[in-house]
């Protein structure tokens, strides 16, 4: 199992972000060497962020025009077992984010356990009812710059366990309601989750130097105004 993602860290970030929210005002959706090309960062954008607030982080997003041409979901290979421990990316996230640890059987089969889906504040005791959500969906990533990457970099994006908040375990219902929508069309149904979601979205885009279109930026700016103290932490992906 990957040692980088741990629930206490994710929970601490979540708790800090939720404290900063203003729910009543929030709107109502083997690591190989880097190769290929990616979208250019905004002028002056740092190579990592620590101590940023959500409004400041939104300003760092590169602005572009999104293009869906040529997108296929299988352009992003997932779920893989990058460290060869028999647990694939989906299982790694479930183990890391469990609030009650599941039992691990042969080939990392999971049983028991308990999870909190922060999108809708639902507690789940059956892993089969959870999806692992790419906070920035694969189609959105393609539109925003990943279409220019090679297959290896897209695989690393789709299985990004080196960032605490790129992948999250949430109820299948909320993940499928979200689909490939960006924050201008969908935010989590739990108002208390929206500041955290905005920070997760922006940190993922900055990590991978993905662009945002004008409608998306406007929605994020509106959200950030109600989440002024929400922290955004990221490291640029290699």
């Amino acid at each position: 199992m990957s040692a980088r993602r741990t629930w206490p860290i994710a929970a601490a970030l979540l708790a800090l972000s939720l404290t900063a929210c203003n729910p009543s005002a929030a709107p109502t959706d083997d690591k190989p060497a880097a190769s290929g090309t990616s979208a250019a960062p905004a002028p002056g954008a740092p190579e990592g962020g620590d101590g940023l607030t959500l409004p400041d982080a939104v300003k760092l997003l590169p602005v572009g025009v999104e293009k869906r041409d040529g997108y296929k979901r299988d352009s992003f290979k997932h779920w893989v077992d990058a460290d060869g421990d028999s647990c694939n990316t989906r299982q790694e996230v479930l183990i890391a984010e469990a609030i009650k640890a599941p039992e691990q059987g042969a080939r990392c089969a999971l049983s028991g356990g308990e999870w909190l889906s922060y999108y809708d504040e639902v507690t789940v005791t059956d892993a089969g009812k959870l999806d692992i959500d790419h906070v920035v969906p694969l189609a959105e990533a393609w539109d925003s710059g990943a279409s220019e990457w090679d297959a290896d970099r897209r695989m690393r994006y789709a299985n990004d366990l080196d960032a605490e908040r790129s992948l999250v375990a949430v109820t299948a219902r909320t993940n499928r309601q979200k689909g490939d929508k960006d924050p201008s069309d969908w935010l989590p149904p739990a108002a208390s989750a929206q500041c955290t979601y905005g920070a997760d979205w922006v940190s993922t885009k900055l990590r991978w130097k993905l662009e945002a279109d004008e409608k998306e930026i406007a929605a994020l700016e509106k959200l950030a105004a109600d989440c002024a103290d929400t922290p955004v932490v990221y490291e640029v992906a290699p």
Side-chain angles (χ1 to χ4, degrees):
M1 182 182 72
S2 169
R4 307 153 302 46
R5 292 180 58 95
T6 58
W7 173 253
I9 295 174
L13 287 174
L14 176 59
L16 184 57
S17 297
L18 295 182
T19 301
C21 286
N22 181 354
S24 62
T28 61
D29 173 328
D30 26 13
K31 235 176 107 106
S35 55
T37 59
S38 61
E47 286 301 297
D50 189 358
L52 289 170
T53 61
L54 184 54
D56 291 336
V58 171
K59 295 175 183 176
L60 297 177
L61 288 170
V63 181
V65 177
E66 296 182 1
K67 298 177 182 178
R68 185 65 56 95
D69 298 351
Y71 170 70
K72 294 180 181 179
R73 186 172 175 81
D74 60 9
S75 296
F76 295 81
K77 184 179 178 181
H78 64 289
W79 306 110
V80 303
D81 177 11
D83 58 7
D85 67 350
S86 298
C87 296
N88 65 25
T89 301
R90 171 183 166 82
Q91 294 161 331
E92 296 275 18
V93 176
L94 289 171
I95 293 167
E97 297 198 352
I99 55 178
K100 178 181 177 182
E103 294 184 5
Q104 297 181 48
R107 301 179 65 85
C108 204
L110 304 180
S111 60
E114 188 173 305
W115 294 265
L116 175 65
S117 166
Y118 93 86
Y119 286 179
D120 49 3
E121 297 183 335
V122 171
T123 299
V124 178
T125 56
D126 178 358
K129 295 182 178 179
L130 292 165
D131 281 354
I132 305 306
D133 183 37
H134 293 92
V135 171
V136 175
L138 301 180
E140 170 72 19
W142 178 274
D143 298 351
S144 307
S147 61
E148 300 178 10
W149 299 347
D150 65 12
D152 176 73
R153 187 168 180 81
R154 287 196 291 267
M155 179 185 70
R156 289 190 288 115
Y157 176 85
N159 298 274
D160 187 11
L161 292 171
D162 288 333
E164 291 292 336
R165 309 299 298 168
S166 292
L167 300 168
V168 292
V170 296
T171 56
R173 179 177 63 179
T174 54
N175 186 46
R176 291 164 198 183
Q177 287 172 346
K178 171 186 171 180
D180 58 11
K181 300 179 183 72
D182 72 27
S184 67
D185 293 316
W186 188 89
L187 288 171
S192 61
Q194 291 175 1
C195 291
T196 298
Y197 182 75
D200 291 351
W201 182 279
V202 173
S203 66
T204 300
K205 283 224 159 177
L206 290 173
R207 171 170 169 73
W208 290 92
K209 298 185 179 180
L210 294 170
E211 296 176 344
D213 63 24
E214 291 182 357
K215 184 180 177 184
E216 178 186 345
I217 291 287
L220 289 168
E221 288 175 341
K222 183 179 179 182
L223 179 61
D226 295 322
C227 306
D229 296 327
T230 302
V232 175
V233 177
Y234 71 95
E235 293 182 2
V236 172

